Amino acid sequence: MTTDYLITIGLLVGLFSIPAMLAAYVDDRFPRGPMAAFVLSAAVIAIALMLNPMRYSVAELPNVVVRVIADILN
């Protein structure tokens, strides 16, 4: 179950870093923070896949996220 949390955290951080990178590009400044967050999210996702490589597929990722959210709410 911990790899489920890692993959969900990685996806959320990566998702939130994309608009920040676009905002930095529009403001004509280098996106240091958003780029670091994106690299961190990629590293966390890679660690989760290395810990449990046979468990995740692209089609199963929405189920993983919903499972983590349900576990947090319960």
Side-chain angles (χ1 to χ4, degrees):
M1 186 60 105
T2 59
T3 54
D4 290 350
Y5 282 102
L6 286 175
I7 219 131
T8 303
I9 290 169
L11 288 173
L12 287 176
V13 170
L15 181 70
F16 287 133
S17 69
I18 292 172
M21 282 191 282
L22 290 174
Y25 176 73
V26 168
D27 290 341
D28 199 27
R29 55 187 167 87
F30 191 73
R32 285 185 185 92
M35 192 64 84
F38 190 77
V39 169
L40 178 70
S41 71
V44 169
I45 291 171
I47 290 170
L49 291 176
M50 281 192 283
L51 289 175
N52 205 350
M54 300 302 290
R55 186 169 181 174
Y56 302 110
S57 66
V58 176
E60 193 176 330
L61 287 179
N63 293 335
V64 170
V65 173
V66 168
R67 212 172 25 225
V68 168
I69 292 171
D71 189 43
I72 290 171
L73 291 178
N74 283 335

